[in-house]
Amino acid sequence: MAINVFVPTFRIDEILQEIRICLEKGWTGLGFKTVEFENKWKEYTGLPNAHFLTSNTVGLHLAVHILKKKFGWNDGDEIITTPLTFVSTNHAIMYENLKPIFADVDDTLCLSPESVEARITSKTRAVMYVGIGGNTGQYEKIIAICKKRNIKLILDAAHMSGTFFKGKHIGQESDVSIFSYQAVKNLPTSDSGMICFADAELDKLARQLSWLGINKDTFQRFQGKEGGYRWKYDVENVGFKYHGNSIQAAMALVQIKYLDEDNNYRNQLASIYDDLLKDTPEVEVVKVAENCQSSRHLYQVFVKKRDEIIQHFYDNDIFPGVHYIDNTEYSMYAYGSGTCPNAARRSNEIISLPLHLKLKKEDCILIVGVLKSGIAKFLKNKSLV
Ligand SMILES: Cc1ncc(COP(=O)(O)O)c(C=O)c1O
């Protein structure tokens, strides 16, 4: 049977039961289960604010939109970001007519602090940091740079549900952190995400702007908390329809119960891979940063002749991933081409080995066996450069 890079595990009976509660109550929208899940997420992470959305992508946009509005940024102002990410990260900057300035990555595939510092200009307003695969990289240094230079820190924590740093869940140190609960992430739902602002006032604004700028949500009105004026509300801003709904939240309420257990299993698989690869110098494993208890969304390695090796995997019914192609290779971000040499080089060497809850030790052995036979075929006794 084919082995894929990702396969979600849903606790089906429990999820159906939670969804049934919504259907029986006659409430599937914003409010009710979304609030229950926001409270659970705050309790789990220790983050002060959390607002549930339909995806991480809309959360990234909302984050940039709100910071721009609140702090009076101008069109053309700059956000320093990574070329090694899913395009959502950088599109969110473009949505607001700001300019993504690409900084290079280090060998954890997260932003290099030195490169970030070198890109700061008088127009820099924020750093967009991505914890690739759940890894924190050199995040502490990035936090220090942002504080010192008085620029905002946006954390794209799409891969970081259940990542802890020095014992605390990630996200406490940024101005805003955005998580993804898309179907193959560590806390999988159908599609959804969470935006967590440090500042309660910005959280309030996020709630309003994710519901078209309306100052009262429909669940408040449905419950009749507004006296006789259920139908009455004000629209204070041009907002978006980005809020999550109770069906997505019902899924998330079940999945969060298993998050630590699932991440622990992912880490066990990663240790098995580490062990199987320890005597294979042709394969460089991406290391998890010190003090980082990673969610282990990904298990990434670097290998020369990557494309041939991936084809060899395909020929053996194994379908690994690539996270990610250097975004400056895409036409719309080509202006950054050549500015991030490490990202460009690593982008051609990255493979994400399959990592999900249905994998067993025997699968890892099989996968690494195929990787090694690919190496023997394409790399052994040949120059590695
Ligand atoms: C790094 C990164 N950022 C953002 C996203 C977007 O997340 P979502 O699918 O929830 O919009 C993803 C999803 O793949 C991602 O990997």
Side-chain angles (χ1 to χ4, degrees), residues 54-58 60 85-86 88-89 130 132 156 158-159 179-182 185 191-193 324:
T54 50
S55 69
N56 163 293
T57 303
V58 301
L60 291 168
T85 186
F86 188 56
S88 297
T89 317
V130 182
I132 292 284
D156 178 348
H159 301 177
F179 296 87
S180 173
Y181 313 124
Q182 180 262 341
K185 298 297 190 296
D191 237 337
S192 56
Y324 290 89

Side-chain angles (χ1 to χ4, degrees), residues 220-289:
Q220 282 172 313
R221 292 194 286 128
F222 167 78
Q223 287 177 310
K225 284 200 174 151
E226 305 302 325
Y229 295 99
R230 281 179 173 218
W231 44 270
K232 202 168 184 188
Y233 55 76
D234 189 18
V235 186
E236 294 171 356
N237 289 293
V238 179
F240 312 94
K241 192 155 190 297
Y242 283 176
H243 64 80
N245 65 51
S246 285
I247 302 292
Q248 295 166 321
M251 296 187 79
L253 277 163
V254 174
Q255 299 292 95
I256 195 173
K257 291 195 235 162
Y258 299 94
L259 181 58
D260 284 342
E261 185 184 319
D262 291 353
N263 287 350
N264 185 24
Y265 189 77
R266 289 171 175 277
N267 274 285
Q268 285 179 42
L269 292 172
S271 302
I272 293 170
Y273 277 136
D274 281 346
D275 213 39
L276 292 166
L277 287 167
K278 67 177 183 302
D279 298 321
T280 314
E282 295 84 357
V283 179
E284 188 185 335
V285 175
V286 178
K287 288 190 189 62
V288 173

